[in-house]
């Protein structure tokens, strides 16, 4: 695990957006796994600015969403499909068929996980998976108790996660279930890039730093990945001590 502790939240965002932009610029036919949440909003804003300034052509790249709520219409403003459309697809005028979303329509929901895993396989696997972390250490919607061999599947959200995500819902409540790439799905990516900012993530980062392979904090599984980079701002790193 490579840890980068930035001097500020904005520097942490800059580091991550630079890494993503450099991959988009240097690779052809990149398959990029995208995360959502408040943490990623400034990252996508920076990536959009860099792509626009460089007139970079993204048409050869493909994108996979990490997770999606079950029970929202895909046009619902709080769905992750709407999120990525707002923050990336529309600003960059990308073509929606470059994006793959966990299919959460009610028909064939039981097969949706297998279908999504097959789509990732057909794309040649994910090259770079962008990740945030929940305050309870979840990755995607792999909540505490998720196994290391979990694959894309229907997951039940904890009340803590639903409460934390309520701010993204102007009306109505956060759904109780989601379709999420599993821990093993995430670990199959060639590179992992996690960004955590803010004091609300300090406990999860401290636990991640001091434990490994612990289902109570699924993020700890990522430490076994050979190319896992963790970027923190001072607040999210506030409870770890680096003995260097
Ligand atoms: C959601 C998403 C995760 C994200 C997490 C943190 O649960 N499924 O992918 O990392 O929340 O979100 P935020 O950045 O808003 O704290």
């Amino acid at each position: 695990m490579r840890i980068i502790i930035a001097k500020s939240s904005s520097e942490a965002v800059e580091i991550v957006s630079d890494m993503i932009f450099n991959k988009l610029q240097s690779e052809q036919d990149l398959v990029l796994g995208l995360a959502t949440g408040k943490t990623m909003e400034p990252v996508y804003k920076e990536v959009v600015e860099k792509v626009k300034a460089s007139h970079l052509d993204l048409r050869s790249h493909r994108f996979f969403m990490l997770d999606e709520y079950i029970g929202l219409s895909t046009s619902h403003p709080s769905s992750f499909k709407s999120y990525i459309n707002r923050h990336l697809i529309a600003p960059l005028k990308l073509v929606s068929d470059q994006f793959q979303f966990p299919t959460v329509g009610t028909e064939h929901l039981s097969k949706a996980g297998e279908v999504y895993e097959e789509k990732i396989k057909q794309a040649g696997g994910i090259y770079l998976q962008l990740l945030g972390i929940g305050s309870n250490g979840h990755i995607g919607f792999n909540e505490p108790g998720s196994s290391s061999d979990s694959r894309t599947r229907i997951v039940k959200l904890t009340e803590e996660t639903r409460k934390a995500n309520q701010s993204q819902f102007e009306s109505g409540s956060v759904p109780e279930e989601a379709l999420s790439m599993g821990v093993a799905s995430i670990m199959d990516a060639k590179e992992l890039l996690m960004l955590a900012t803010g004091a609300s993530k300090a406990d999860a980062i401290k636990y991640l730093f001091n434990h490994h392979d612990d289902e109570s904090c699924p993020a700890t599984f990522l430490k076994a990945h050979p190319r896992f980079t963790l970027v923190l701002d001072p607040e999210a790193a506030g409870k770890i001590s680096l003995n260097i």
Side-chain angles (χ1 to χ4, degrees):
M1 171 170 73
R2 177 169 68 130
I3 298 183
I4 302 172
I5 300 180
K7 297 184 186 64
S8 65
S9 299
S10 52
E11 186 186 62
V13 166
E14 183 66 25
I15 289 167
V16 170
S17 58
D18 266 347
M19 286 179 177
I20 294 169
F21 177 72
N22 292 340
K23 275 282 185 268
L24 290 168
Q25 198 171 41
S26 59
E27 301 287 339
Q28 273 302 314
D29 307 326
L30 183 70
V31 179
L32 190 57
L34 297 177
T36 57
K38 293 185 290 293
T39 305
M40 298 304 157
E41 291 178 13
V43 172
Y44 293 131
K45 185 171 179 298
E46 295 257 342
V47 169
V48 166
E49 287 169 7
K50 292 173 194 302
V51 169
K52 282 183 172 175
S54 64
H55 305 293
L56 182 63
D57 182 348
L58 299 183
R59 281 174 297 179
S60 77
H61 301 322
R62 279 165 292 168
F63 306 85
F64 280 79
M65 296 310 293
L66 185 56
D67 45 16
E68 180 60 275
Y69 291 110
I70 290 173
L72 297 181
S73 68
T74 46
S75 58
H76 189 290
S78 303
S79 75
F80 289 158
K81 186 166 192 174
S82 297
Y83 173 106
I84 209 67
N85 189 56
R86 226 174 12 253
H87 293 291
L88 211 58
I89 298 176
L92 291 178
K93 299 183 177 55
L94 295 174
V95 180
S96 59
D97 70 6
Q98 289 180 261
F99 286 73
Q100 290 295 341
F101 301 90
T103 44
V104 289
T106 44
E107 71 286 348
H108 315 308
L109 193 53
S110 60
K111 290 280 183 199
E114 288 168 49
V115 167
Y116 203 61
E117 290 282 340
E118 184 55 32
K119 283 181 178 175
I120 294 171
K121 200 171 160 190
Q122 283 167 8
I126 291 173
Y127 191 99
L128 173 64
Q129 178 64 54
L130 180 60
L131 292 164
I133 186 169
S135 50
N136 63 358
H138 74 238
I139 42 176
F141 273 131
N142 293 284
E143 297 278 34
S146 296
S147 65
S148 61
D149 62 357
S150 53
R151 289 278 166 190
T152 304
R153 71 209 182 285
I154 297 170
V155 293
K156 189 158 175 50
L157 304 188
T158 62
E159 283 315 303
E160 181 182 359
T161 294
R162 298 185 65 227
K163 192 160 167 253
N165 291 7
Q166 186 61 56
S167 63
Q168 306 277 332
F169 283 71
E170 280 180 17
S171 62
S173 56
V174 178
E176 296 187 4
E177 290 186 320
L179 199 70
S180 176
M181 282 171 62
V183 175
S185 320
I186 293 168
M187 290 292 281
D188 279 349
K190 292 178 184 62
E191 288 186 44
L192 304 179
L193 175 56
M194 176 180 280
L195 170 63
T197 55
S200 68
K201 306 298 172 69
D203 285 328
I205 292 301
K206 180 183 178 184
Y207 198 95
L208 165 60
F209 196 68
N210 293 314
H211 298 80
H212 59 87
D213 297 329
D214 182 336
E215 287 190 0
S216 73
C217 177
T220 58
F221 289 123
L222 305 180
K223 292 170 76 172
H225 193 285
R227 299 176 74 180
F228 171 36
T229 299
L230 173 61
V231 181
L232 304 171
D233 72 352
E235 292 73 24
K239 294 188 177 179
I240 60 173
S241 54
L242 288 171
N243 299 320
I244 40 182

